[in-house]
Amino acid sequence: MIMSKRAAALIAAATLTALTVAVPAQATTRGSQGPAHAGRIVWTQVLDDTFSTTRLVSARPDGSSLRVLTHPRPKQFDIDAAVSPDGSRVLFERDLPGRDALEMVGADGRGEHVVPVSCANPCIGLDNPGWTPSGRHITFTRVLGPIDPVSQSARSAVLYIARPDGSGMRRLSQRGIDGVYEDYHARFAASGKYLIFLRLRNRDGKTSVFRMRPDGSDVRQLTPWALDADVPDLSLAAHGPTKDLVVFETFGQGAPNGSEQDIATVPATCHPLAACIREIRYVTHNGAGPGESFNPSWSPGGRRIAFTSALFLPGKPPAGDIWTIRPDGRGRQQVSRSARFEFRPAWGR
């Protein structure tokens, strides 16, 4: 498939992970279906040993009521689910040979269809979808070619917004960054007054979490480039300790020697970057491994975090599962228990 530098790195990292990890054996408890455990979690499930075909499934946060949502053909890769604010629809990215498209399916698995967002040449893909708080618009990255054969950077990969029927498309990202940075994974605050997103620096492939206003102004960096933050999500809690709190994974494109991926948080309200660095807090503490934690997603009320937990065990069959955890790092609970590798959760109502 044709893809931007970020998409290529994500697929490569996910493939490597799937071929080398197994589920950690830890004591777990079944959670009650109280407010902290409400809604459904959608995630990506791998269907083959070569990691070329994936589908979306969903379940309650205790793992019950498993439901298959999408039915891809061979070599179609369904990923990056985003649940609508009312919980009725799931927007996702389907990676096809030669291009990436946006598709939509009902939370009950019915009505799967392509979202007809304009993507004519030189557009080569639509990635990392999301929703505005009202559910009246969707967000995504529109990737324009050609792709540089050396750096693997796109000519342009920036954020756009459109209606769910694909109409009314307009740019979200600030002007003047094309070819220098790529923007992905937009997540709006509940108020709609600002959004957080992932920015990739083309010259070295490093990533960082940023925030800005919907008009592309007041752009602020929230995490240092060295941390290589990825897959950020913004709590929609109306009050309490997780209000305006961003959760993200560290070293999204591969951890350095002596480290593994972890889940961490940073306030979206911090400024400047030096203050943000001081306020980063780790939810998981994997150290040098072999365990890994990645792909965080807030529960609708901001009381728990869904994530992928994996463990490097050479020679073991590939596996990975969805778990939930409190923001203080306590109360881990296992959600998925399939022998298939499962990752990239999205928690909806």
Side-chain angles (χ1 to χ4, degrees), residues 241-242 245 247 263 265 281-285 298 302-305 324-332:
T242 68
L245 193 62
V247 67
I263 303 300
T265 63
R281 300 289 183 268
Y282 281 77
V283 179
T284 62
H285 302 271
W298 284 107
R303 295 177 62 181
R304 293 187 70 83
I305 298 164
T324 69
I325 193 170
R326 292 201 300 262
D328 63 4
R330 300 177 182 178
R332 288 175 59 119

Side-chain angles (χ1 to χ4, degrees), residues 36-54:
H37 301 85
R40 293 184 69 87
I41 301 174
V42 181
W43 65 85
T44 291
Q45 183 181 76
V46 178
L47 297 179
D48 61 351
D49 292 340
T50 60
F51 210 73
S52 64
T53 306
T54 66

Side-chain angles (χ1 to χ4, degrees), residues 14-278:
T15 303
L16 177 62
T17 300
L19 295 175
T20 56
V21 302
V23 182
Q26 302 186 34
T28 65
T29 58
R30 288 283 183 174
S32 66
Q33 289 301 305
H37 301 85
R40 293 184 69 87
I41 301 174
V42 181
W43 65 85
T44 291
Q45 183 181 76
V46 178
L47 297 179
D48 61 351
D49 292 340
T50 60
F51 210 73
S52 64
T53 306
T54 66
R55 67 184 179 187
L56 299 185
V57 299
S58 76
R60 295 191 179 111
D62 66 356
S64 65
S65 186
L66 183 70
R67 180 182 299 157
V68 175
L69 298 183
T70 65
H71 303 274
R73 295 178 180 177
K75 297 188 178 180
Q76 293 185 345
F77 204 92
D78 293 352
I79 192 172
D80 282 332
V83 185
S84 63
D86 65 2
S88 67
R89 294 171 290 175
V90 179
L91 180 65
F92 64 99
E93 174 186 330
R94 173 164 285 172
D95 296 341
L96 306 163
R99 64 186 177 91
D100 304 336
L102 298 185
E103 301 214 7
M104 189 98 68
V105 67
D108 59 0
R110 299 177 181 178
E112 183 178 328
H113 65 278
V114 174
V115 179
V117 174
S118 175
C119 188
N121 187 45
C123 176
I124 58 175
L126 304 167
D127 298 340
N128 287 176
W131 294 87
T132 59
S134 68
R136 296 176 181 173
H137 291 85
I138 61 174
T139 61
F140 51 91
T141 295
R142 190 167 182 257
V143 182
L144 303 183
I147 300 294
D148 187 285
V150 177
S151 69
Q152 292 300 303
S153 298
R155 180 165 68 86
S156 174
V158 297
L159 297 171
Y160 279 80
I161 189 171
R163 298 185 186 94
D165 65 1
S167 64
M169 184 174 68
R170 63 178 177 83
R171 180 175 174 136
L172 273 179
S173 288
Q174 68 186 121
R175 300 287 177 177
I177 67 166
D178 304 66
V180 180
Y181 298 106
E182 298 179 0
D183 288 351
Y184 297 90
H185 214 81
R187 294 294 183 265
F188 270 83
S191 66
K193 293 181 179 179
Y194 73 91
L195 62 143
I196 60 122
F197 62 97
L198 190 77
R199 174 159 287 180
L200 181 146
R201 187 168 62 184
N202 284 0
R203 65 180 173 85
D204 58 7
K206 292 291 186 180
T207 53
S208 173
V209 182
F210 280 70
R211 67 166 276 173
M212 67 179 179
R213 292 175 181 161
D215 64 1
S217 65
D218 193 25
V219 178
R220 305 181 194 175
Q221 187 173 358
L222 303 181
T223 64
W225 293 109
L227 197 55
D228 227 359
D230 208 342
V231 196
D233 194 24
L234 180 60
S235 171
L236 299 181
H239 51 77
T242 68
K243 184 178 185 294
D244 296 312
L245 193 62
V246 179
V247 67
F248 61 93
E249 68 181 41
T250 63
F251 305 121
Q253 299 183 56
N257 291 335
S259 299
E260 291 295 351
Q261 288 184 273
D262 273 303
I263 303 300
T265 63
V266 66
T269 53
C270 64
H271 187 69
L273 177 59
C276 295
I277 293 173
R278 291 193 295 270

